Amino acid sequence: MRAAIISAITIGISVSRHLIKADELATADPAQVISLLRPCMLSLAASPGHGGLS
């Protein structure tokens, strides 16, 4: 489930940024997008019981 959510977020960001070219996301600095997504992705990737989803 966690891997599927990570994939969905990654695909959603890519589609919004490159295909739809959503205003804020398309023009955002990649480093800023990464810094905003990092806590979410790390939380999802963490082992259960260590800040990740069960």
Side-chain angles (χ1 to χ4, degrees):
M1 176 67 84
R2 292 180 291 140
I5 293 171
I6 290 170
S7 294
I9 291 169
T10 303
I11 291 167
I13 294 293
S14 297
V15 167
S16 294
R17 188 169 169 86
H18 300 291
L19 296 178
I20 299 172
K21 298 189 190 286
D23 294 336
E24 291 288 326
L25 200 49
T27 59
D29 176 38
Q32 182 183 17
V33 175
I34 291 168
S35 71
L36 289 170
L37 287 172
R38 181 175 283 125
C40 175
M41 295 297 196
L42 290 175
S43 175
L44 286 167
S47 299
H50 293 94
L53 296 176
S54 301

mmCIF file of all heavy atoms in Angstrom:
data_model
loop_
_atom_site.group_PDB
_atom_site.id
_atom_site.type_symbol
_atom_site.label_atom_id
_atom_site.label_comp_id
_atom_site.label_asym_id
_atom_site.label_seq_id
_atom_site.Cartn_x
_atom_site.Cartn_y
_atom_site.Cartn_z
ATOM 1 N N MET A 1 0.823 -1.173 0.000
ATOM 2 C CA MET A 1 0.000 0.000 0.000
ATOM 3 C C MET A 1 0.882 1.256 0.000
ATOM 4 O O MET A 1 0.605 2.203 -0.737
ATOM 5 C CB MET A 1 -0.919 -0.018 1.221
ATOM 6 C CG MET A 1 -1.754 1.237 1.344
ATOM 7 S SD MET A 1 -2.978 1.468 0.055
ATOM 8 C CE MET A 1 -4.270 0.486 0.702
ATOM 9 N N ARG A 2 1.919 1.235 0.832
ATOM 10 C CA ARG A 2 2.797 2.418 0.895
ATOM 11 C C ARG A 2 3.483 2.673 -0.438
ATOM 12 O O ARG A 2 3.576 3.820 -0.884
ATOM 13 C CB ARG A 2 3.808 2.259 2.023
ATOM 14 C CG ARG A 2 3.134 2.318 3.396
ATOM 15 C CD ARG A 2 4.089 2.167 4.552
ATOM 16 N NE ARG A 2 4.607 0.805 4.586
ATOM 17 C CZ ARG A 2 5.852 0.489 4.861
ATOM 18 N NH1 ARG A 2 6.722 1.414 5.171
ATOM 19 N NH2 ARG A 2 6.238 -0.759 4.880
ATOM 20 N N ALA A 3 3.931 1.624 -1.091
ATOM 21 C CA ALA A 3 4.584 1.780 -2.397
ATOM 22 C C ALA A 3 3.603 2.329 -3.435
ATOM 23 O O ALA A 3 3.967 3.170 -4.264
ATOM 24 C CB ALA A 3 5.152 0.453 -2.864
ATOM 25 N N ALA A 4 2.361 1.881 -3.382
ATOM 26 C CA ALA A 4 1.344 2.361 -4.317
ATOM 27 C C ALA A 4 1.066 3.851 -4.097
ATOM 28 O O ALA A 4 0.894 4.601 -5.064
ATOM 29 C CB ALA A 4 0.061 1.554 -4.162
ATOM 30 N N ILE A 5 1.047 4.280 -2.849
ATOM 31 C CA ILE A 5 0.824 5.696 -2.550
ATOM 32 C C ILE A 5 2.008 6.536 -3.022
ATOM 33 O O ILE A 5 1.832 7.603 -3.610
ATOM 34 C CB ILE A 5 0.539 5.902 -1.049
ATOM 35 C CG1 ILE A 5 -0.804 5.255 -0.689
ATOM 36 C CG2 ILE A 5 0.535 7.394 -0.698
ATOM 37 C CD1 ILE A 5 -1.084 5.205 0.797
ATOM 38 N N ILE A 6 3.217 6.054 -2.786
ATOM 39 C CA ILE A 6 4.408 6.765 -3.266
ATOM 40 C C ILE A 6 4.363 6.888 -4.787
ATOM 41 O O ILE A 6 4.632 7.962 -5.339
ATOM 42 C CB ILE A 6 5.694 6.055 -2.795
ATOM 43 C CG1 ILE A 6 5.867 6.229 -1.282
ATOM 44 C CG2 ILE A 6 6.920 6.597 -3.537
ATOM 45 C CD1 ILE A 6 6.967 5.384 -0.675
ATOM 46 N N SER A 7 4.004 5.812 -5.474
ATOM 47 C CA SER A 7 3.903 5.847 -6.934
ATOM 48 C C SER A 7 2.836 6.833 -7.395
ATOM 49 O O SER A 7 3.054 7.598 -8.344
ATOM 50 C CB SER A 7 3.571 4.458 -7.485
ATOM 51 O OG SER A 7 4.628 3.578 -7.256
ATOM 52 N N ALA A 8 1.684 6.822 -6.731
ATOM 53 C CA ALA A 8 0.595 7.731 -7.103
ATOM 54 C C ALA A 8 1.003 9.192 -6.929
ATOM 55 O O ALA A 8 0.717 10.034 -7.795
ATOM 56 C CB ALA A 8 -0.649 7.424 -6.276
ATOM 57 N N ILE A 9 1.693 9.494 -5.853
ATOM 58 C CA ILE A 9 2.160 10.863 -5.629
ATOM 59 C C ILE A 9 3.175 11.259 -6.702
ATOM 60 O O ILE A 9 3.083 12.339 -7.287
ATOM 61 C CB ILE A 9 2.778 11.011 -4.219
ATOM 62 C CG1 ILE A 9 1.692 10.889 -3.151
ATOM 63 C CG2 ILE A 9 3.512 12.351 -4.085
ATOM 64 C CD1 ILE A 9 2.230 10.762 -1.738
ATOM 65 N N THR A 10 4.114 10.370 -6.979
ATOM 66 C CA THR A 10 5.148 10.649 -7.979
ATOM 67 C C THR A 10 4.540 10.856 -9.366
ATOM 68 O O THR A 10 4.884 11.811 -10.072
ATOM 69 C CB THR A 10 6.176 9.506 -8.013
ATOM 70 O OG1 THR A 10 6.726 9.346 -6.700
ATOM 71 C CG2 THR A 10 7.290 9.786 -9.003
ATOM 72 N N ILE A 11 3.628 9.994 -9.755
ATOM 73 C CA ILE A 11 2.974 10.122 -11.057
ATOM 74 C C ILE A 11 2.136 11.393 -11.100
ATOM 75 O O ILE A 11 2.163 12.124 -12.100
ATOM 76 C CB ILE A 11 2.118 8.878 -11.367
ATOM 77 C CG1 ILE A 11 3.035 7.680 -11.608
ATOM 78 C CG2 ILE A 11 1.199 9.119 -12.566
ATOM 79 C CD1 ILE A 11 2.328 6.342 -11.620
ATOM 80 N N GLY A 12 1.420 11.678 -10.025
ATOM 81 C CA GLY A 12 0.598 12.886 -9.978
ATOM 82 C C GLY A 12 1.416 14.157 -10.115
ATOM 83 O O GLY A 12 1.044 15.080 -10.855
ATOM 84 N N ILE A 13 2.537 14.213 -9.434
ATOM 85 C CA ILE A 13 3.417 15.380 -9.536
ATOM 86 C C ILE A 13 3.951 15.507 -10.962
ATOM 87 O O ILE A 13 3.960 16.591 -11.548
ATOM 88 C CB ILE A 13 4.590 15.279 -8.525
ATOM 89 C CG1 ILE A 13 4.079 15.358 -7.097
ATOM 90 C CG2 ILE A 13 5.644 16.358 -8.801
ATOM 91 C CD1 ILE A 13 3.494 16.671 -6.690
ATOM 92 N N SER A 14 4.385 14.400 -11.530
ATOM 93 C CA SER A 14 4.933 14.419 -12.894
ATOM 94 C C SER A 14 3.892 14.867 -13.915
ATOM 95 O O SER A 14 4.180 15.695 -14.783
ATOM 96 C CB SER A 14 5.462 13.041 -13.275
ATOM 97 O OG SER A 14 6.523 12.686 -12.436
ATOM 98 N N VAL A 15 2.696 14.314 -13.832
ATOM 99 C CA VAL A 15 1.629 14.692 -14.760
ATOM 100 C C VAL A 15 1.267 16.161 -14.585
ATOM 101 O O VAL A 15 1.164 16.903 -15.565
ATOM 102 C CB VAL A 15 0.391 13.782 -14.563
ATOM 103 C CG1 VAL A 15 -0.827 14.332 -15.277
ATOM 104 C CG2 VAL A 15 0.690 12.371 -15.052
ATOM 105 N N SER A 16 1.091 16.594 -13.344
ATOM 106 C CA SER A 16 0.729 17.993 -13.092
ATOM 107 C C SER A 16 1.813 18.954 -13.559
ATOM 108 O O SER A 16 1.525 20.007 -14.113
ATOM 109 C CB SER A 16 0.478 18.220 -11.597
ATOM 110 O OG SER A 16 -0.654 17.513 -11.186
ATOM 111 N N ARG A 17 3.044 18.565 -13.353
ATOM 112 C CA ARG A 17 4.170 19.445 -13.676
ATOM 113 C C ARG A 17 4.480 19.498 -15.166
ATOM 114 O O ARG A 17 4.710 20.573 -15.718
ATOM 115 C CB ARG A 17 5.395 18.977 -12.893
ATOM 116 C CG ARG A 17 6.587 19.884 -12.972
ATOM 117 C CD ARG A 17 7.632 19.444 -11.949
ATOM 118 N NE ARG A 17 8.888 20.104 -12.150
ATOM 119 C CZ ARG A 17 9.208 21.294 -11.646
ATOM 120 N NH1 ARG A 17 8.333 21.946 -10.915
ATOM 121 N NH2 ARG A 17 10.392 21.820 -11.854
ATOM 122 N N HIS A 18 4.472 18.347 -15.845
ATOM 123 C CA HIS A 18 4.965 18.281 -17.219
ATOM 124 C C HIS A 18 3.876 18.166 -18.287
ATOM 125 O O HIS A 18 4.066 18.653 -19.393
ATOM 126 C CB HIS A 18 5.951 17.130 -17.364
ATOM 127 C CG HIS A 18 7.137 17.276 -16.456
ATOM 128 N ND1 HIS A 18 8.096 18.241 -16.635
ATOM 129 C CD2 HIS A 18 7.492 16.597 -15.341
ATOM 130 C CE1 HIS A 18 9.006 18.142 -15.676
ATOM 131 N NE2 HIS A 18 8.662 17.155 -14.876
ATOM 132 N N LEU A 19 2.764 17.522 -17.994
ATOM 133 C CA LEU A 19 1.720 17.358 -19.006
ATOM 134 C C LEU A 19 0.639 18.431 -18.892
ATOM 135 O O LEU A 19 0.295 19.073 -19.877
ATOM 136 C CB LEU A 19 1.090 15.967 -18.907
ATOM 137 C CG LEU A 19 2.029 14.801 -19.207
ATOM 138 C CD1 LEU A 19 1.320 13.473 -19.029
ATOM 139 C CD2 LEU A 19 2.584 14.919 -20.619
ATOM 140 N N ILE A 20 0.104 18.602 -17.688
ATOM 141 C CA ILE A 20 -0.945 19.599 -17.476
ATOM 142 C C ILE A 20 -0.339 20.992 -17.343
ATOM 143 O O ILE A 20 -0.968 21.983 -17.686
ATOM 144 C CB ILE A 20 -1.786 19.246 -16.222
ATOM 145 C CG1 ILE A 20 -2.465 17.892 -16.424
ATOM 146 C CG2 ILE A 20 -2.807 20.331 -15.929
ATOM 147 C CD1 ILE A 20 -3.152 17.361 -15.193
ATOM 148 N N LYS A 21 0.895 21.025 -16.867
ATOM 149 C CA LYS A 21 1.619 22.271 -16.614
ATOM 150 C C LYS A 21 0.841 23.191 -15.663
ATOM 151 O O LYS A 21 0.608 24.362 -15.942
ATOM 152 C CB LYS A 21 1.952 22.986 -17.931
ATOM 153 C CG LYS A 21 2.856 22.157 -18.814
ATOM 154 C CD LYS A 21 3.358 22.933 -19.992
ATOM 155 C CE LYS A 21 4.060 22.062 -20.988
ATOM 156 N NZ LYS A 21 5.333 21.587 -20.675
ATOM 157 N N ALA A 22 0.438 22.611 -14.539
ATOM 158 C CA ALA A 22 -0.255 23.362 -13.484
ATOM 159 C C ALA A 22 0.615 24.549 -13.072
ATOM 160 O O ALA A 22 1.817 24.402 -12.879
ATOM 161 C CB ALA A 22 -0.532 22.460 -12.289
ATOM 162 N N ASP A 23 0.008 25.712 -12.969
ATOM 163 C CA ASP A 23 0.720 26.973 -12.761
ATOM 164 C C ASP A 23 1.873 26.902 -11.770
ATOM 165 O O ASP A 23 3.030 26.980 -12.157
ATOM 166 C CB ASP A 23 -0.251 28.072 -12.319
ATOM 167 C CG ASP A 23 -1.253 28.420 -13.402
ATOM 168 O OD1 ASP A 23 -0.946 28.191 -14.588
ATOM 169 O OD2 ASP A 23 -2.330 28.912 -13.061
ATOM 170 N N GLU A 24 1.560 26.800 -10.504
ATOM 171 C CA GLU A 24 2.592 26.836 -9.459
ATOM 172 C C GLU A 24 3.575 25.674 -9.582
ATOM 173 O O GLU A 24 4.771 25.844 -9.418
ATOM 174 C CB GLU A 24 1.951 26.812 -8.071
ATOM 175 C CG GLU A 24 1.195 28.065 -7.708
ATOM 176 C CD GLU A 24 2.120 29.228 -7.421
ATOM 177 O OE1 GLU A 24 3.220 29.001 -6.883
ATOM 178 O OE2 GLU A 24 1.732 30.357 -7.738
ATOM 179 N N LEU A 25 3.058 24.515 -9.864
ATOM 180 C CA LEU A 25 3.905 23.324 -9.897
ATOM 181 C C LEU A 25 4.820 23.308 -11.123
ATOM 182 O O LEU A 25 5.985 22.928 -11.032
ATOM 183 C CB LEU A 25 3.022 22.072 -9.872
ATOM 184 C CG LEU A 25 3.657 20.776 -9.441
ATOM 185 C CD1 LEU A 25 4.434 20.915 -8.147
ATOM 186 C CD2 LEU A 25 2.609 19.706 -9.303
ATOM 187 N N ALA A 26 4.319 23.749 -12.257
ATOM 188 C CA ALA A 26 5.116 23.741 -13.489
ATOM 189 C C ALA A 26 6.297 24.701 -13.418
ATOM 190 O O ALA A 26 7.347 24.439 -13.988
ATOM 191 C CB ALA A 26 4.236 24.079 -14.679
ATOM 192 N N THR A 27 6.124 25.801 -12.711
ATOM 193 C CA THR A 27 7.180 26.810 -12.651
ATOM 194 C C THR A 27 8.031 26.722 -11.388
ATOM 195 O O THR A 27 8.993 27.460 -11.241
ATOM 196 C CB THR A 27 6.578 28.223 -12.756
ATOM 197 O OG1 THR A 27 5.662 28.425 -11.682
ATOM 198 C CG2 THR A 27 5.858 28.410 -14.085
ATOM 199 N N ALA A 28 7.668 25.812 -10.492
ATOM 200 C CA ALA A 28 8.395 25.695 -9.222
ATOM 201 C C ALA A 28 9.806 25.158 -9.448
ATOM 202 O O ALA A 28 10.050 24.349 -10.345
ATOM 203 C CB ALA A 28 7.646 24.777 -8.272
ATOM 204 N N ASP A 29 10.713 25.615 -8.615
ATOM 205 C CA ASP A 29 12.082 25.106 -8.618
ATOM 206 C C ASP A 29 12.050 23.638 -8.173
ATOM 207 O O ASP A 29 11.416 23.317 -7.164
ATOM 208 C CB ASP A 29 12.917 25.944 -7.646
ATOM 209 C CG ASP A 29 14.333 25.447 -7.499
ATOM 210 O OD1 ASP A 29 14.920 25.014 -8.506
ATOM 211 O OD2 ASP A 29 14.857 25.517 -6.369
ATOM 212 N N PRO A 30 12.677 22.740 -8.928
ATOM 213 C CA PRO A 30 12.661 21.324 -8.542
ATOM 214 C C PRO A 30 13.130 21.085 -7.103
ATOM 215 O O PRO A 30 12.574 20.240 -6.403
ATOM 216 C CB PRO A 30 13.622 20.663 -9.542
ATOM 217 C CG PRO A 30 13.569 21.556 -10.736
ATOM 218 C CD PRO A 30 13.389 22.946 -10.188
ATOM 219 N N ALA A 31 14.107 21.837 -6.648
ATOM 220 C CA ALA A 31 14.597 21.673 -5.270
ATOM 221 C C ALA A 31 13.502 22.008 -4.262
ATOM 222 O O ALA A 31 13.401 21.369 -3.208
ATOM 223 C CB ALA A 31 15.824 22.544 -5.033
ATOM 224 N N GLN A 32 12.666 22.990 -4.567
ATOM 225 C CA GLN A 32 11.571 23.358 -3.665
ATOM 226 C C GLN A 32 10.516 22.249 -3.621
ATOM 227 O O GLN A 32 10.015 21.905 -2.556
ATOM 228 C CB GLN A 32 10.935 24.672 -4.110
ATOM 229 C CG GLN A 32 9.835 25.134 -3.184
ATOM 230 C CD GLN A 32 9.164 26.407 -3.673
ATOM 231 O OE1 GLN A 32 9.288 26.795 -4.825
ATOM 232 N NE2 GLN A 32 8.458 27.059 -2.780
ATOM 233 N N VAL A 33 10.198 21.683 -4.791
ATOM 234 C CA VAL A 33 9.227 20.587 -4.849
ATOM 235 C C VAL A 33 9.753 19.402 -4.036
ATOM 236 O O VAL A 33 9.023 18.819 -3.226
ATOM 237 C CB VAL A 33 8.953 20.176 -6.319
ATOM 238 C CG1 VAL A 33 8.044 18.946 -6.378
ATOM 239 C CG2 VAL A 33 8.347 21.334 -7.102
ATOM 240 N N ILE A 34 11.017 19.078 -4.218
ATOM 241 C CA ILE A 34 11.626 17.970 -3.478
ATOM 242 C C ILE A 34 11.595 18.226 -1.978
ATOM 243 O O ILE A 34 11.247 17.340 -1.197
ATOM 244 C CB ILE A 34 13.064 17.719 -3.976
ATOM 245 C CG1 ILE A 34 13.025 17.157 -5.396
ATOM 246 C CG2 ILE A 34 13.825 16.783 -3.036
ATOM 247 C CD1 ILE A 34 14.361 17.143 -6.095
ATOM 248 N N SER A 35 11.929 19.441 -1.561
ATOM 249 C CA SER A 35 11.958 19.727 -0.120
ATOM 250 C C SER A 35 10.568 19.649 0.498
ATOM 251 O O SER A 35 10.419 19.271 1.659
ATOM 252 C CB SER A 35 12.595 21.090 0.157
ATOM 253 O OG SER A 35 11.758 22.141 -0.259
ATOM 254 N N LEU A 36 9.542 19.964 -0.271
ATOM 255 C CA LEU A 36 8.169 19.859 0.241
ATOM 256 C C LEU A 36 7.693 18.406 0.284
ATOM 257 O O LEU A 36 6.943 18.020 1.183
ATOM 258 C CB LEU A 36 7.213 20.689 -0.616
ATOM 259 C CG LEU A 36 7.356 22.198 -0.486
ATOM 260 C CD1 LEU A 36 6.541 22.904 -1.559
ATOM 261 C CD2 LEU A 36 6.924 22.653 0.901
ATOM 262 N N LEU A 37 8.125 17.610 -0.667
ATOM 263 C CA LEU A 37 7.690 16.210 -0.737
ATOM 264 C C LEU A 37 8.497 15.271 0.147
ATOM 265 O O LEU A 37 8.010 14.216 0.550
ATOM 266 C CB LEU A 37 7.768 15.702 -2.178
ATOM 267 C CG LEU A 37 6.700 16.223 -3.127
ATOM 268 C CD1 LEU A 37 7.009 15.790 -4.546
ATOM 269 C CD2 LEU A 37 5.332 15.725 -2.703
ATOM 270 N N ARG A 38 9.741 15.638 0.450
ATOM 271 C CA ARG A 38 10.643 14.749 1.187
ATOM 272 C C ARG A 38 10.039 14.208 2.491
ATOM 273 O O ARG A 38 10.065 12.980 2.709
ATOM 274 C CB ARG A 38 11.974 15.442 1.462
ATOM 275 C CG ARG A 38 12.958 14.550 2.221
ATOM 276 C CD ARG A 38 14.314 15.194 2.383
ATOM 277 N NE ARG A 38 15.022 15.089 1.107
ATOM 278 C CZ ARG A 38 15.528 16.124 0.447
ATOM 279 N NH1 ARG A 38 15.441 17.335 0.935
ATOM 280 N NH2 ARG A 38 16.132 15.951 -0.704
ATOM 281 N N PRO A 39 9.482 15.040 3.373
ATOM 282 C CA PRO A 39 8.940 14.485 4.629
ATOM 283 C C PRO A 39 7.830 13.451 4.400
ATOM 284 O O PRO A 39 7.787 12.422 5.068
ATOM 285 C CB PRO A 39 8.398 15.708 5.369
ATOM 286 C CG PRO A 39 9.095 16.878 4.757
ATOM 287 C CD PRO A 39 9.379 16.505 3.344
ATOM 288 N N CYS A 40 6.981 13.711 3.427
ATOM 289 C CA CYS A 40 5.891 12.785 3.113
ATOM 290 C C CYS A 40 6.441 11.457 2.606
ATOM 291 O O CYS A 40 6.037 10.388 3.067
ATOM 292 C CB CYS A 40 4.974 13.424 2.067
ATOM 293 S SG CYS A 40 3.668 12.351 1.478
ATOM 294 N N MET A 41 7.363 11.529 1.671
ATOM 295 C CA MET A 41 7.928 10.310 1.091
ATOM 296 C C MET A 41 8.722 9.514 2.127
ATOM 297 O O MET A 41 8.626 8.288 2.168
ATOM 298 C CB MET A 41 8.824 10.647 -0.106
ATOM 299 C CG MET A 41 8.080 11.247 -1.263
ATOM 300 S SD MET A 41 6.873 10.092 -1.928
ATOM 301 C CE MET A 41 6.536 10.854 -3.491
ATOM 302 N N LEU A 42 9.489 10.199 2.950
ATOM 303 C CA LEU A 42 10.250 9.498 3.992
ATOM 304 C C LEU A 42 9.320 8.823 4.992
ATOM 305 O O LEU A 42 9.585 7.706 5.440
ATOM 306 C CB LEU A 42 11.202 10.463 4.698
ATOM 307 C CG LEU A 42 12.387 10.949 3.866
ATOM 308 C CD1 LEU A 42 13.186 12.001 4.639
ATOM 309 C CD2 LEU A 42 13.266 9.801 3.426
ATOM 310 N N SER A 43 8.239 9.488 5.325
ATOM 311 C CA SER A 43 7.270 8.909 6.239
ATOM 312 C C SER A 43 6.638 7.649 5.639
ATOM 313 O O SER A 43 6.488 6.631 6.310
ATOM 314 C CB SER A 43 6.190 9.931 6.572
ATOM 315 O OG SER A 43 5.185 9.364 7.364
ATOM 316 N N LEU A 44 6.285 7.725 4.369
ATOM 317 C CA LEU A 44 5.683 6.567 3.706
ATOM 318 C C LEU A 44 6.677 5.423 3.539
ATOM 319 O O LEU A 44 6.300 4.256 3.587
ATOM 320 C CB LEU A 44 5.139 6.981 2.334
ATOM 321 C CG LEU A 44 3.858 7.792 2.354
ATOM 322 C CD1 LEU A 44 3.601 8.400 0.980
ATOM 323 C CD2 LEU A 44 2.682 6.940 2.794
ATOM 324 N N ALA A 45 7.937 5.747 3.314
ATOM 325 C CA ALA A 45 8.948 4.715 3.086
ATOM 326 C C ALA A 45 9.473 4.090 4.373
ATOM 327 O O ALA A 45 10.089 3.017 4.334
ATOM 328 C CB ALA A 45 10.119 5.305 2.296
ATOM 329 N N ALA A 46 9.223 4.721 5.507
ATOM 330 C CA ALA A 46 9.718 4.219 6.789
ATOM 331 C C ALA A 46 9.072 2.879 7.139
ATOM 332 O O ALA A 46 7.957 2.583 6.739
ATOM 333 C CB ALA A 46 9.435 5.230 7.896
ATOM 334 N N SER A 47 9.795 2.071 7.883
ATOM 335 C CA SER A 47 9.260 0.814 8.361
ATOM 336 C C SER A 47 8.065 1.068 9.271
ATOM 337 O O SER A 47 8.064 2.033 10.022
ATOM 338 C CB SER A 47 10.315 0.051 9.148
ATOM 339 O OG SER A 47 11.422 -0.256 8.343
ATOM 340 N N PRO A 48 7.046 0.197 9.221
ATOM 341 C CA PRO A 48 5.911 0.354 10.126
ATOM 342 C C PRO A 48 6.392 0.458 11.576
ATOM 343 O O PRO A 48 7.295 -0.264 11.979
ATOM 344 C CB PRO A 48 5.084 -0.911 9.904
ATOM 345 C CG PRO A 48 5.441 -1.333 8.520
ATOM 346 C CD PRO A 48 6.902 -0.949 8.348
ATOM 347 N N GLY A 49 5.812 1.359 12.298
ATOM 348 C CA GLY A 49 6.210 1.565 13.687
ATOM 349 C C GLY A 49 7.324 2.586 13.841
ATOM 350 O O GLY A 49 7.732 2.913 14.938
ATOM 351 N N HIS A 50 7.855 3.085 12.711
ATOM 352 C CA HIS A 50 8.915 4.079 12.740
ATOM 353 C C HIS A 50 8.495 5.347 11.999
ATOM 354 O O HIS A 50 9.260 5.933 11.267
ATOM 355 C CB HIS A 50 10.197 3.529 12.106
ATOM 356 C CG HIS A 50 10.799 2.428 12.897
ATOM 357 N ND1 HIS A 50 10.545 1.105 12.653
ATOM 358 C CD2 HIS A 50 11.634 2.457 13.968
ATOM 359 C CE1 HIS A 50 11.201 0.366 13.525
ATOM 360 N NE2 HIS A 50 11.871 1.161 14.342
ATOM 361 N N GLY A 51 7.244 5.749 12.167
ATOM 362 C CA GLY A 51 6.772 6.963 11.536
ATOM 363 C C GLY A 51 6.060 6.721 10.215
ATOM 364 O O GLY A 51 5.529 7.634 9.627
ATOM 365 N N GLY A 52 6.033 5.482 9.730
ATOM 366 C CA GLY A 52 5.353 5.173 8.488
ATOM 367 C C GLY A 52 3.934 4.691 8.752
ATOM 368 O O GLY A 52 3.499 4.549 9.887
ATOM 369 N N LEU A 53 3.215 4.443 7.690
ATOM 370 C CA LEU A 53 1.869 3.895 7.814
ATOM 371 C C LEU A 53 1.953 2.424 8.150
ATOM 372 O O LEU A 53 2.874 1.721 7.766
ATOM 373 C CB LEU A 53 1.103 4.081 6.491
ATOM 374 C CG LEU A 53 0.846 5.512 6.053
ATOM 375 C CD1 LEU A 53 0.172 5.511 4.675
ATOM 376 C CD2 LEU A 53 -0.013 6.249 7.039
ATOM 377 N N SER A 54 0.959 1.925 8.831
ATOM 378 C CA SER A 54 0.924 0.485 9.181
ATOM 379 C C SER A 54 0.456 -0.335 8.018
ATOM 380 O O SER A 54 -0.271 0.074 7.212
ATOM 381 C CB SER A 54 -0.009 0.271 10.351
ATOM 382 O OG SER A 54 0.425 1.024 11.452
#
